Amino acid sequence: MTMIAVLGNGRVGGSLALALTRAGHEVAVADRSPGSAADAARTAQIVINATPGAGSLERLIALREELQGKILVDVSNATVDGPDGLPADLLYPGSSLAEQLQEALPDTRVVKTLNTMLYTVMTAPAALTQTPTAFLSGKDPEAKQVVRGLLADLSWQQQWITDLGGIETARAAEAAILFVPHVIRSSGFAPFAISITR
């Protein structure tokens, strides 16, 4: 059992919290009330960022002390949204939210994952008709190994997980969000994931 804090109680955070609780972890979910995120992060071993990406950096910098020495799993995408509310551009072109977080929080081990799929796939990868891929980006091998274990608890088979390398590789995974509005307009709001097939 691991103590996990999920920052964000929307569809993404709620789904992850429920699935990880069912897997036997002790999970605290932080909402937007004052002090909630700090309280949850302070006692956790692993913190999951499921807050809206556009405001994630500011929110998490405010938790620098609570995140010190922790693994921060970043599943968010920082985008500039279009008039229809769907992603239209990247907030950090030439970089990524994960890189910005790692630079701002040098004493925290940031791992990017699960941001290249609709939220329902994060906790039910086998529901898709074809094998999905979960990507890992991060500078700390041990932290990535821990996150692999969490993904296994979310029903991800190890052969479905691809380690892209250092935290700088997160910019490639985050850029995949630009597929999303076009896929949704083309096929509707149905579960999907960006996958590497071989």
Side-chain angles (χ1 to χ4, degrees), residues 33-114:
S33 61
S36 177
D39 289 343
R42 189 175 294 114
T43 57
Q45 297 161 282
I46 298 171
V47 178
I48 297 175
N49 175 40
T51 65
S56 288
L57 186 59
E58 183 181 357
R59 289 188 187 98
L60 291 166
I61 286 175
L63 300 174
R64 180 182 280 108
E65 184 177 331
E66 289 81 6
L67 292 172
Q68 189 168 5
K70 308 285 177 69
I71 295 173
L72 175 62
V73 182
D74 179 33
V75 303
S76 294
N77 287 300
T79 60
V80 178
D81 292 341
D84 58 0
L86 294 174
D89 206 350
L90 301 175
L91 189 60
Y92 304 109
S95 183
S96 64
L97 173 59
E99 289 172 272
Q100 297 292 314
L101 288 169
Q102 187 62 84
E103 183 177 353
L105 303 166
D107 297 323
T108 301
R109 296 178 288 169
V110 179
V111 179
K112 188 82 182 189
T113 193
L114 294 180

